[in-house]
Amino acid sequence: MNENSVVIITGANSGMGKATTIEVAKTGANVVMLCRNQSRGKEAFNEVKKITKNNKVKFMLCDLGSRQSIHDFVTEFKKRYDRLDVLINNAGVILPGRHETVDGYELQFGVNHLGHFLLTNLLLDLLISSQPSRVVNVSSGAHKSGKIYFDDVNLTKNYRIFRAYAQSKLANIMFTYELASRLKDTNVTVNCLHPGAVATSIGINRDTGFGKFITGILKPFFNTPEKGAETAIYLAMSDEIEGVSGKYFIRKKQVQSSENSYDQEAAKKLWKLSEEMTGLSVNK
Ligand SMILES: NC(=O)c1ccc[n+]([C@@H]2O[C@H](COP(=O)([O-])OP(=O)(O)OC[C@H]3O[C@@H](n4cnc5c(N)ncnc54)[C@H](OP(=O)(O)O)[C@@H]3O)[C@@H](O)[C@H]2O)c1
């Protein structure tokens, strides 16, 4: 990473996304904070600029639950930048009750997986032309109880909050392995991680504040966002993992993910389904 590097961080206004943004911005790199909400994004952007004194930090709006918004973001990004060195897919959502994205998909699968799937694919040309470059996907240990419900991926029947979250986080890992395999002849690396249990705003409904109480109780037992962000920062910037791709990390160490996350046939099936759901297959 150097002062010419260009880095996108999704969900950069809160929790680990903000902590990661601050560390990356301290290097002097061009950092684009992808945020979905104008006022939350602007507030975090001002804070990051104040702390890091990096005037090359920018803030751009994008809702990862909307195909149109992702396309608009990528179009605007490509007008402003001609390279992309690191893409950190950090944004994530977990919310009680079944919700849907703007495009009508189950919220957690839609944002956590499909949003990042589309974003990454639309930025692949830039990642390849800027190589060596990196994609970092923030998953979760929750993937271990996950399964991809191919017959009802939107969980219209038997919705459970944790089932939806675990499915989306397993999808993050399968996407990582499949993308790494597709890019094996390039110098674009793709890795994923579990950040640990971290006291952030995850699980808190941004509109109603519901969930604050539970998060508040758990806070003393959880890591800080700064600590939680360490592995993502490591995967984004460290020379130690140059050339390493298609791996899962916890506490900056390569570890095994769940057995079903290595199912290559399922990963290909998920890729095809994701292409269809995001409209990517239309242009093929
Ligand atoms: N905290 C943990 O214990 C833990 C454990 C394992 C994995 N993780 C993973 O770590 C990552 C970071 O989460 P966090 O714990 O730092 O949570 P957080 O504080 O809630 O941050 C999540 C970020 O994602 C953004 N986001 C949510 N929906 C979005 C959308 N539709 N479009 C664009 N951005 C969206 C949020 O924006 P708003 O603020 O505007 O809503 C926020 O910036 C997530 O992928 C999460 O699954 C967390």
Side-chain angles (χ1 to χ4, degrees):
M1 181 99 39
N2 60 49
E3 294 199 348
N4 297 322
S5 302
V6 179
V7 182
I8 296 176
I9 302 169
T10 73
N13 62 287
S14 176
M16 287 178 271
K18 189 165 77 180
T20 304
T21 302
I22 290 169
E23 284 315 302
V24 175
K26 281 180 185 167
T27 67
N30 299 272
V31 184
V32 174
M33 301 174 66
L34 181 155
C35 306
R36 67 165 163 164
N37 176 279
Q38 173 71 30
S39 64
R40 288 194 291 271
K42 196 79 208 287
E43 196 185 329
F45 166 72
N46 289 335
E47 190 186 333
V48 170
K49 290 236 300 192
K50 198 170 165 198
I51 294 170
T52 66
K53 316 260 184 296
N54 181 343
N55 284 324
K56 292 185 292 171
V57 176
K58 305 289 172 206
F59 150 56
M60 289 174 71
L61 277 175
C62 177
D63 176 1
L64 290 164
S66 158
R67 274 154 64 158
Q68 186 59 54
S69 179
I70 296 168
H71 278 278
D72 291 348
F73 170 85
V74 171
T75 303
E76 185 57 33
F77 177 82
K78 286 181 177 174
K79 273 190 205 154
R80 297 193 200 177
Y81 300 92
D82 59 5
R83 60 178 302 114
L84 176 59
D85 298 275
V86 183
L87 169 62
I88 306 179
N89 288 322
N90 158 84
V93 62
I94 176 166
L95 268 193
R98 189 178 176 284
H99 302 265
E100 292 186 348
T101 64
V102 172
D103 299 325
Y105 298 137
E106 188 283 315
L107 183 73
Q108 288 159 101
F109 188 74
V111 170
N112 301 354
H113 170 59
L114 291 177
H116 287 122
F117 175 87
L118 180 60
L119 179 71
T120 308
N121 272 289
L122 295 178
L123 290 167
L124 264 190
D125 52 350
L126 266 192
L127 285 160
I128 291 170
S129 63
S130 312
Q131 57 186 301
S133 54
R134 300 179 184 193
V135 178
V136 178
N137 293 325
V138 180
S139 178
S140 167
H143 82 275
K144 289 198 169 173
S145 57
K147 176 184 160 188
I148 309 294
Y149 295 83
F150 284 110
D151 52 347
D152 182 24
V153 83
N154 287 305
L155 300 175
T156 54
K157 299 164 220 126
N158 296 323
Y159 177 85
R160 296 274 181 283
I161 179 173
F162 200 70
R163 183 176 293 166
Y165 184 66
Q167 170 175 255
S168 74
K169 291 288 138 180
L170 174 62
N172 289 158
I173 297 186
M174 292 169 92
F175 170 53
T176 301
Y177 295 163
E178 179 61 20
L179 182 61
S181 152
R182 288 173 185 241
L183 293 173
K184 66 177 185 313
D185 296 328
T186 71
N187 207 344
V188 184
T189 61
V190 193
N191 291 296
C192 58
L193 69 120
H194 166 54
V198 186
T200 63
S201 298
I202 197 126
I204 299 175
N205 187 313
R206 305 302 201 252
D207 299 325
T208 63
F210 184 81
K212 256 189 190 154
F213 179 67
I214 303 168
T215 312
I217 293 174
L218 292 172
K219 204 172 175 178
F221 307 102
F222 283 12
N223 281 322
T224 61
E226 290 71 28
K227 183 84 193 151
E230 283 179 359
T231 304
I233 294 164
Y234 171 76
L235 293 178
M237 307 209 294
S238 172
D239 292 341
E240 268 176 44
I241 52 127
E242 222 172 83
V244 175
S245 191
K247 304 292 179 201
Y248 174 62
F249 290 76
I250 300 180
R251 286 191 216 94
K252 302 192 219 168
K253 296 271 177 287
Q254 251 184 63
V255 293
Q256 290 288 106
S257 51
S258 68
E259 203 181 320
N260 61 348
S261 67
Y262 293 103
D263 182 340
Q264 291 179 15
E265 209 174 298
K268 287 188 182 7
K269 197 170 163 186
L270 175 64
W271 188 283
K272 191 161 178 292
L273 178 69
S274 307
E275 275 186 340
E276 286 161 14
M277 292 178 82
T278 56
L280 262 186
S281 48
V282 174
N283 302 320
K284 292 213 153 177

